[in-house]
């Protein structure tokens, strides 16, 4: 699997600089235009991993690389698991970059003249719990998207798989609310009502931390199950 991860990163090394530049420009523009640090770090967490997942999948079909790779001493399961591992590694790298970016922005605001300070970029408006929650939720969203699309790419390839992604999304948006309603998820309530929920939030450290932990944990579980599915689909794929 390490060979597959190294292969993905070597394949993408020429694009990392472009991704970083695009991400930096977008983050700075969003900070200036929106005056919100939350929006910018969410973009950093989501943009590069999403571009990476789709770009590296497209490179598989370039010049027959995907077929040639199967002649190397690497199993199909290792190919699938390595792809998921490289995407997850990119998500973690972007999470760290987003956290560092937030520290830089808040540091600049702390030493800026009062007339140039923006409230939405100050440390007082962006406590660690908020930063953690935003990074966790944005990263979880990308993991969910990757868990949905990568099995299609592994089974059908990037070209054919991309055609199926809109169909799957439409079905999820159409059937998701109906299934939730029929199963009673929309009408579930905690024992003790909202008071118990608020008490739980306060005990753990705030709603952003709780939501971030729950959503990130769910995304990792779904991502792992998707990797198992992709490995099975890739084994059965005919080239």
């Amino acid at each position: 699997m390490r060979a597959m991860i190294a292969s993905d990163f070597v394949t993408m090394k020429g694009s990392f600089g472009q991704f970083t530049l695009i991400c930096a420009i977008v983050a700075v523009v969003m900070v200036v235009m929106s005056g919100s640090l939350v929006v910018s770090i969410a973009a950093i967490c989501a943009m590069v991993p999403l571009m990476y997942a789709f770009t590296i999948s497209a490179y598989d079909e370039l010049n027959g690389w995907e077929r040639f790779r199967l002649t190397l001493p690497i199993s199909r399961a290792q190919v699938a698991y390595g792809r998921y591992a490289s995407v997850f590694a990119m998500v973690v790298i972007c999470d760290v970059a987003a956290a560092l970016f937030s520290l830089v922005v808040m540091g600049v605001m702390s030493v800026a003249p009062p007339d140039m300070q923006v409230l939405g970029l100050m440390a007082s408006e962006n406590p660690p719990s908020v930063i953690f929650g935003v990074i966790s939720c944005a990263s979880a969203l990308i993991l969910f998207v990757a868990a949905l699309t990568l099995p299609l790419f592994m089974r059908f390839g990037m070209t054919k798989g991309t055609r199926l992604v809109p169909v799957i999304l439409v079905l999820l948006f159409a059937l998701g609310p109906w299934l939730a309603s029929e199963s009673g998820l929309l009408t579930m309530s905690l024992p003790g009502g909202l008071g118990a929920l608020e008490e739980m939030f306060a005990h753990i450290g705030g709603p952003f931390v709780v939501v971030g932990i729950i959503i990130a944990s769910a995304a990792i579980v779904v991502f792992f199950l998707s990797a198992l599915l992709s490995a099975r689909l890739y084994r059965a794929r005919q080239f």
Side-chain angles (χ1 to χ4, degrees), residues 16-56:
F16 284 145
Q18 299 175 7
F19 287 172
T20 302
L21 179 61
I22 293 173
C23 185
I25 293 174
V26 170
V28 172
V29 169
M30 294 183 75
V31 162
V32 174
M33 298 299 294
S34 68
S36 172
L37 185 58
V38 168
V39 176
S40 301
I41 61 177
I44 294 174
C45 293
M47 186 169 54
V48 173
L50 189 61
M51 290 191 299
Y52 173 83
F54 278 80
T55 304
I56 193 62

Side-chain angles (χ1 to χ4, degrees), residues 90-211:
M90 187 57 58
V91 170
V92 173
I93 291 172
C94 290
D95 288 350
V96 174
L100 293 176
F101 179 78
S102 66
L103 293 176
V104 171
V105 172
M106 290 186 291
V108 171
M109 284 293 104
S110 66
V111 298
D115 58 334
M116 296 183 62
Q117 293 180 346
V118 179
L119 184 61
L121 305 179
M122 300 294 293
S124 59
E125 296 296 317
N126 298 282
S129 60
V130 172
I131 300 298
F132 173 82
V134 171
I135 290 176
S136 299
C137 292
S139 299
L141 176 61
I142 295 305
L143 291 179
F144 280 126
V145 172
L148 173 67
T149 56
L150 287 180
L152 297 176
F153 296 162
M154 286 291 176
R155 178 62 180 86
F156 302 104
M158 175 67 176
T159 303
K160 294 181 180 179
T162 304
R163 300 171 189 169
L164 298 175
V165 171
V167 177
I168 301 298
L169 290 177
V170 169
L171 290 176
L172 288 177
F173 281 118
L175 297 178
W178 178 80
L179 291 175
S181 177
E182 290 296 317
S183 62
L185 291 176
L186 296 180
T187 57
M188 288 178 61
S189 59
L190 289 175
L194 292 178
L197 187 61
E198 293 174 356
E199 183 178 351
M200 181 182 69
F201 284 163
H203 177 71
I204 297 179
F208 290 104
V209 174
V210 176
V211 171

Side-chain angles (χ1 to χ4, degrees), residues 4 56-72 74 76 79 83 152-159 234 237-239:
M4 180 62 185
I56 193 62
S57 297
Y59 279 170
D60 281 347
E61 298 181 352
L62 187 65
N63 298 324
W65 163 240
E66 194 169 26
R67 292 181 176 87
F68 175 76
R69 185 174 56 203
L70 295 179
T71 65
L72 302 176
I74 179 173
R76 293 197 179 199
V79 171
R83 174 57 49 81
L152 297 176
F153 296 162
M154 286 291 176
R155 178 62 180 86
F156 302 104
M158 175 67 176
T159 303
Y234 198 63
R237 182 177 173 183
Q238 298 296 324
F239 288 92

